[in-house]
Amino acid sequence: MKLKDKNTGKFIGVATISGILTFVIACGLWYMVFRRELVVFWGIPVTIISFWIIGALIAWLIIPDRKSYRLGISAYLSTIGVNFIIAAFIFPINGWIVLFAIGFAIISIPGAILLNLVTIRVLK
């Protein structure tokens, strides 16, 4: 699809909300395990939300107009890919990077479900 489409802003907005949902879930799990707040580090929410926005933009550009029902799943998979690629560039690849990517994928599932449901409703 094209970036000048009228639904691009709506899709990116829902992807941003999915990123915020993912961050809130990560904060709750972090607090339950370590009893410390994750909001102190402002780089973490910016990173998670930007992963979702970049993944949504990639999905928006690679999915054709007729296949909008696959847009939410494609955005979720693109977000996981962006997460793994950026983490692999910053840190050396080892088991922790893979576990981080798997954990991000698991924590992002509610955001992906939200993105998919809203995308199906909005882009009919």
Side-chain angles (χ1 to χ4, degrees):
M1 295 190 215
K2 297 178 182 177
L3 286 177
K4 294 182 181 180
D5 192 11
K6 64 179 180 176
N7 293 323
T8 306
K10 294 176 189 176
F11 183 68
I12 299 301
V14 175
T16 305
I17 292 171
S18 296
I20 293 170
L21 178 65
T22 301
F23 175 69
V24 167
I25 292 170
C27 280
L29 290 173
W30 186 269
Y31 188 76
M32 284 183 349
V33 173
F34 297 109
R35 298 285 184 218
R36 295 198 179 188
E37 294 180 5
L38 192 63
V39 182
V40 176
F41 311 109
W42 285 103
I44 295 172
V46 170
T47 305
I48 290 175
I49 294 169
S50 60
F51 285 163
W52 270 99
I53 292 172
I54 293 169
L57 281 173
I58 291 170
W60 187 264
L61 292 174
I62 64 172
I63 297 295
D65 290 337
R66 299 172 305 279
K67 308 277 180 157
S68 62
Y69 59 90
R70 295 192 314 190
L71 197 56
I73 301 298
S74 179
Y76 172 66
L77 295 175
S78 299
T79 301
I80 294 169
V82 166
N83 172 24
F84 186 74
I85 290 170
I86 291 176
F89 277 123
I90 294 174
F91 303 107
I93 296 179
N94 57 18
W96 289 108
I97 297 299
V98 174
L99 286 176
F100 178 73
I102 292 171
F104 182 80
I106 292 170
I107 291 174
S108 297
I109 289 174
I113 292 171
L114 173 72
L115 182 65
N116 200 15
L117 291 175
V118 172
T119 301
I120 289 171
R121 293 276 184 182
V122 170
L123 299 179
K124 272 190 174 179

